[in-house]
Amino acid sequence: MATETFLLELGVEELPPAAIDMLSDALAKGIADGLNEAEVPFGGVRAFATPRRLAVRIEQLADKQPDREVERRGPALAAAFKDGEPTKAAQGFARSCGIGVEELIHLETPKGTWLGYREQQPGDSIDVLLPAIVAEAVDQLPVPKYMRWGDSRIEFSRPVHWLVMLHGSRVIEAQVLGLDASRTTFGHRFHAPQAIELVHADDYLAALEEAYVLADRDRRRERIREQVLREAERAGAEAVIDEDLLVEVSGLVEWPVALTGSFDERFLEVPPECLISSMKANQKYFHLLDDQGRLKPLFITIANIESHDPRQVIEGNERVIRPRLADAAFFYDTDRRQPLAAREADLASVVFQRQLGTLADKARRSAVTARFIAERIEGAPDHSERAARLAKCDLSTEMVLEFPELQGIMGYYYARQDGEPEEVAQALYEQYLPRFAGDEIPQGKTGQALALADRLDTLIGIFGIGARPTGAKDPFALRRASIGVLNILIKAELDLDLRELLTLAAAQHDNLPQANGLVDEVLNYMLDRFRAWTQDEGIPVEVYLAVRARPVTRPLDFARRIRAVHDFSQHDEASALVAANKRVANILAKQGDERALRIDASLLQEAAEQELAKAVEARRIETAPLFQEARYTEALDVLTGLRVPVDRFFDEVMVMSDDPGIRANRLALLASLQSLFLEVADIAELQ
C-alpha cells in the first residue's frame, strides 16, 4: 500500500475574514472524519487558508483502503441439512455467496453452529473514495451565509473559481461545487495572478510563496506581528497587538506588508479609547503608545501588496482615517454639551426588558441595592447610589451609539468632566468588570457595589419573568453575570451573604410573575457556578460537591472551604478519614433517629470508644475558635489527628450492639464525629 501527500485547495473570491479559520478547520476535520470512516490510513492533517483559498494537506495518505476479511453467516447447521443433504436454505445461501455448499464453513457461536462464508474484500482506491469524501466535507461546512453567482444554482459563501486535488503528483478526478479538479492554482491577485501548475502536492506552500501568497495562517500572523513590532521600533513606540485584530487582519491579506501612518495631534484631545475603537473597528489599524503609555498620533496598517511607492499607500490610509477620527471628535464634543446627569431622563424611554421596565427602573432598583452593599463593605453609600443612577446614562450618547464597546468608558470621562466625585466616575468604568474569565475586578468599593447591584438586579429580574438560561441559550448572559458576582466577592474578599443580597434585589421588583421561591432558585443557580470556578482553579469537582452539600450562602466563605478541603484531601490521613465519614454517613442514614441526643460517658464500655470520645471532644474544643474565624484549613489540619482513634474504633467496636442504650450512645458518638467535619464540608463526597 503506497502513501503520498494529499492536497485539496478550493479557490474562492475574498471570504469574510471572521469565517476563514472556522471554514478551513471544519474542512480539514470533515475530510479527516471521512477518511477515518472509510478506514483509509493517513498521517498529519494541516489546514491552510487565505482570503482567496481554503486548503487541506494530509501527510502519508494511503492509496487505498486495506483489504478486509468479510464474514457472512447463513442458516443454522440444524436447518442447513436434512438426512445428510443440503436444504434449500443452505443451497440459497451458497448461491448468494457464489460458491457451492461444500465450500461453506462452520461458524461456532454461543448459540450454536451455523453455515458461514469468509472472503477477502479488496479495499477501494482513494480515486473512488475521495470525490465523495471531499464533496461531503464541503457540503457540511458551517457557511455563515450562502450566495449564488451568475446563472448557477450552486451556493457557497463566495463564488468559487478553481479546485486542486492532488495525491502526490496525480490529479484525483472529482467535481466539487461545479468545479473539475486539476493541479492548477493561482497566486496573489495583483503580484502573481497567472496560473501555477503544481507538480506535486508537497510543492504547494513554496510555490504559493513564490507567487506572493503565505497560505500558512500561523506563519502569516507571525509575519504580521513581526512587521508591526519592527515598524513600532522604528517609530520609537510600543505597538499594541490585539490578538483578535491580528486574526482579523490576517484574514484580509495574502502577502502582508506593514506600513506606518500618522494623524493630526489635535485628535489626541479626544479620549484615547475613542480613537482606538475607531481605528480598530473601521480601519483595522494597530495603535502605538509612547514610553508613558499614552497614545501616539501614529497607526500601523497592513497592506496586501508590496507597493513600489509605499508613501502613496500610507497617504491613502491617512486620508481615510482623518474623517473617522473627526467623527469621533465631533461625537465627543457633542456629548459634552450636556451633563451626564441630564441624560438620566432619557433612560425612562429606553426599555431594559418589556416585563422589567426601562433602564430608569433598573437604575432605581440598582441604586437601593448598591447603597446597601456599600454600607456593608464600609464604602460610600451616597457615591454608590449616585453611580447607580448615572451608570447607564452614557448609553444615549453619540459616542456609545457609534461604538457600543465604549459603554462605561465614556461614562467615566463625561462624569469626570462634569465634576462628579472621582470614585463615582471610576465606578461607571468599573461596573462592567470583570468582562471575561481572568479579567480584573473593580478596585474601588463604589465600583464593587455598583457592579454587584447591577448584576443581581438582572439575575433576579430575568429569573423572575421565567427567562431562565438553558443549556444552549443564555441571551442575558446570566452565567457570566453570576461568575462575575462570585469573582468580585471572592477576589475583593467581601464577606457578604448572597441570600441576603438577592432578597433585597428581589424586593425592588414589583409583581414578578414567578416570585415564589425566586431567591432560592437564583441562589442555587449562582452557587452551582462554583463548579466551573473550582475547575478553573484546578481543583477536583468532588471538592466542590463536598462543600456544596452544606448550606453555605457566602461565596467568600464557600471559596475558603473549597481551598481548605482541597488542601485536606492532599493529607496522608485524608483517605482513611473520608472512608470513615462515608461509613458513618451510611450507618446514621440507616438508623434514622435511633441515636441518643448526647453522649453518655457511663455507657462507653470499650477502650477504643472511650478514646474516640475523648479525641472528638478535644478536637471540638480546639477547632471551635478556628471555625468561628473561618480558618478552615487549620481546623481540618487539627481533625486529621482523629485518624488513629477512628480506625481503632471501627476495628474494635461493634456499633450495632444488642443493647439499645449502648447502640444509641455509639451512634451519638459517630454523629458527634461527623458533625466536626460537617462544620466545613461533607467530606464523604470526596473520592
Side-chain angles (χ1 to χ4, degrees):
M1 186 181 299
T3 63
E4 278 282 11
T5 302
F6 171 68
L7 172 69
L8 167 74
E9 183 190 56
L10 182 64
V12 296
E13 292 187 13
E14 279 70 9
L15 290 163
I20 290 177
D21 284 4
M22 174 181 64
L23 291 174
S24 60
D25 289 340
L27 182 59
K29 183 178 184 301
I31 296 174
D33 288 348
L35 292 171
N36 280 323
E37 187 175 347
E39 299 180 356
V40 180
F42 61 91
V45 180
R46 286 285 305 276
F48 302 114
T50 77
R52 298 182 65 216
R53 67 201 76 229
L54 299 172
V56 177
R57 185 180 70 193
I58 300 179
E59 308 290 345
Q60 298 178 319
L61 176 64
D63 60 357
K64 61 188 290 291
Q65 291 172 314
D67 295 341
R68 292 174 291 176
E69 185 176 73
V70 178
E71 182 177 279
R72 295 176 59 187
R73 192 172 75 173
L77 194 62
F81 295 93
K82 184 176 182 180
D83 299 328
E85 295 296 323
T87 63
K88 289 184 178 180
Q91 293 171 353
F93 177 64
R95 280 196 302 273
S96 72
C97 296
I99 60 174
V101 174
E102 67 279 2
E103 297 178 73
L104 295 174
I105 62 174
H106 290 184
L107 299 177
E108 300 292 339
T109 74
K111 295 184 178 181
T113 305
W114 306 72
L115 284 184
Y117 174 65
R118 291 193 186 100
E119 66 173 340
Q120 284 293 115
Q121 187 177 77
D124 287 331
S125 74
I126 58 168
D127 296 70
V128 174
L129 298 169
L130 275 174
I133 290 173
V134 171
E136 175 70 12
V138 171
D139 187 56
Q140 296 299 317
L141 288 178
V143 174
K145 187 175 182 180
Y146 284 93
M147 66 176 292
R148 293 177 183 170
W149 53 96
D151 58 0
S152 171
R153 303 298 295 174
I154 294 170
E155 294 183 338
F156 195 61
S157 178
R158 291 292 186 271
V160 296
H161 292 295
W162 72 85
L163 174 68
V164 174
M165 283 179 63
L166 289 177
H167 186 236
S169 58
R170 283 190 318 109
V171 174
I172 301 293
E173 293 186 7
Q175 189 176 82
V176 177
L177 296 176
L179 299 170
D180 291 324
S182 71
R183 64 175 70 249
T184 305
T185 185
F186 294 85
H188 192 281
R189 183 182 291 279
F190 305 112
H191 286 308
Q194 62 275 12
I196 302 170
E197 299 296 313
L198 296 172
V199 176
H200 194 282
D202 289 336
D203 299 339
Y204 180 66
L205 292 180
L208 284 185
E209 187 163 354
E210 288 183 10
Y212 292 86
V213 174
L214 286 176
D216 187 322
R217 298 175 306 182
D218 295 334
R219 189 161 168 237
R220 194 165 65 251
R221 283 171 198 163
E222 289 311 306
R223 173 79 64 89
I224 293 172
R225 189 193 306 276
E226 292 166 5
Q227 290 183 355
V228 168
L229 294 175
R230 188 161 55 246
E231 287 289 306
E233 186 177 5
R234 288 173 184 164
E238 177 188 351
V240 178
I241 301 179
D242 181 286
E243 293 300 319
D244 290 337
L245 179 61
L246 178 63
V247 170
E248 187 174 7
V249 169
S250 72
L252 292 168
V253 298
E254 291 196 315
W255 191 254
V257 177
L259 300 170
T260 302
S262 63
F263 57 85
D264 197 320
E265 288 193 19
R266 66 184 175 86
F267 290 122
L268 294 179
E269 297 174 5
V270 178
E273 292 89 346
C274 305
L275 306 180
I276 293 168
S277 287
S278 182
M279 286 190 282
K280 286 172 60 176
N282 295 319
Q283 302 307 130
K284 317 304 177 190
Y285 293 162
F286 296 94
H287 62 280
L288 300 174
L289 305 177
D290 64 17
D291 56 4
Q292 301 297 313
R294 296 170 302 198
L295 183 66
K296 288 180 73 71
L298 299 172
F299 63 85
I300 296 175
T301 182
I302 306 300
N304 191 32
I305 59 171
E306 256 183 28
S307 174
H308 296 299
D309 187 1
R311 188 63 240 169
Q312 283 196 30
V313 179
I314 293 170
E315 289 174 355
N317 279 274
E318 290 174 343
R319 283 194 300 272
V320 172
I321 193 61
R322 194 175 300 120
R324 296 289 191 180
L325 299 185
D327 286 346
F330 173 77
F331 296 147
Y332 183 57
D333 291 339
T334 301
D335 289 340
R336 291 189 297 168
R337 290 174 186 167
Q338 62 172 316
L340 189 64
R343 297 180 180 275
E344 195 173 344
D346 297 340
L347 301 182
S349 60
V350 181
V351 175
F352 167 60
Q353 201 282 336
R354 182 176 57 82
Q355 294 172 268
L356 299 176
T358 65
L359 286 179
D361 297 322
K362 182 172 179 58
R364 173 187 53 77
R365 297 191 298 260
S366 297
V368 176
T369 308
R371 184 179 188 89
F372 175 85
I373 293 172
E375 291 170 349
R376 288 301 179 92
I377 63 175
E378 299 182 354
D382 290 343
H383 287 169
S384 298
E385 182 176 346
R386 177 67 171 172
R389 291 286 187 180
L390 298 177
K392 308 303 178 186
C393 289
D394 68 350
L395 296 181
S396 67
T397 63
E398 296 292 334
M399 189 69 80
V400 174
L401 289 172
E402 179 70 16
F403 301 108
E405 67 273 17
L406 295 180
Q407 57 186 306
I409 295 172
M410 297 317 301
Y412 164 74
Y413 281 106
Y414 296 145
R416 289 191 69 192
Q417 175 199 293
D418 296 342
E420 296 285 351
E422 180 64 25
E423 197 170 341
V424 171
Q426 190 65 34
L428 301 188
Y429 171 80
E430 293 182 331
Q431 64 179 303
Y432 297 105
L433 301 178
R435 302 180 191 87
F436 48 82
D439 194 17
E440 63 180 341
I441 65 166
Q443 297 303 304
K445 291 188 181 296
T446 299
Q448 292 164 3
L450 174 57
L452 291 170
D454 181 59
R455 288 170 169 85
L456 292 170
D457 175 78
T458 299
L459 284 157
I460 280 290
I462 300 303
F463 270 85
I465 61 172
R468 301 164 183 80
T470 64
K473 295 182 179 179
D474 185 12
F476 292 93
L478 300 187
R479 290 186 185 87
R480 189 169 65 211
S482 299
I483 292 172
V485 169
L486 298 180
N487 274 316
I488 292 170
L489 293 175
I490 294 168
K491 293 181 179 178
E493 296 191 348
L494 305 179
D495 195 15
L496 299 176
D497 189 317
L498 201 49
R499 182 188 298 280
E500 184 179 33
L501 297 182
L502 289 168
T503 301
L504 177 63
Q508 309 314 308
H509 286 266
D510 299 323
N511 303 318
L512 285 174
Q514 299 193 19
N516 290 337
L518 176 61
V519 168
D520 283 338
E521 182 183 11
V522 179
L523 175 65
N524 285 323
Y525 175 82
M526 296 182 72
L527 292 178
D528 284 346
R529 306 281 75 75
F530 259 113
R531 189 185 191 107
W533 180 88
T534 302
Q535 291 171 327
D536 289 343
E537 294 287 312
I539 298 174
V541 69
E542 60 262 21
V543 173
Y544 156 78
L545 294 173
V547 177
R548 188 73 176 90
R550 307 300 299 141
V552 182
T553 59
R554 294 175 177 268
L556 179 60
D557 191 53
F558 202 113
R560 287 171 174 165
R561 290 168 186 257
I562 283 178
R563 293 190 177 109
V565 174
H566 180 55
D567 289 344
F568 165 78
S569 69
Q570 311 302 307
H571 282 283
D572 294 337
E573 297 86 355
S575 178
L577 288 171
V578 168
N581 269 268
K582 288 182 179 180
R583 187 172 179 180
V584 168
N586 290 333
I587 293 171
L588 295 177
K590 290 178 181 178
Q591 301 311 311
D593 297 328
E594 187 178 339
R595 63 178 179 269
L597 295 178
R598 60 179 62 86
I599 300 170
D600 185 344
S602 67
L603 294 177
L604 298 172
Q605 296 185 329
E606 305 288 341
E609 62 182 324
Q610 294 170 1
E611 179 189 358
L612 180 59
K614 291 178 182 177
V616 167
E617 183 59 25
R619 294 325 189 271
R620 184 180 306 284
I621 293 170
E622 187 175 356
T623 57
L626 299 177
F627 289 137
Q628 186 70 26
E629 298 169 13
R631 292 157 61 186
Y632 301 117
T633 299
E634 295 174 54
L636 287 176
D637 285 345
V638 171
L639 296 185
T640 58
L642 289 170
R643 176 186 174 178
V644 172
V646 167
D647 286 349
R648 184 184 175 196
F649 175 87
F650 281 117
D651 287 341
E652 300 179 13
V653 177
M654 175 66 71
V655 177
M656 306 310 293
S657 169
D658 293 335
D659 186 311
I662 293 175
R663 180 170 65 248
N665 198 55
R666 287 172 180 171
L667 290 173
L669 174 57
L670 293 182
S672 181
L673 168 67
Q674 182 190 51
S675 68
L676 272 181
F677 288 93
L678 288 177
E679 288 283 350
V680 183
D682 184 356
I683 69 166
E685 293 285 345
L686 298 179
Q687 298 298 319

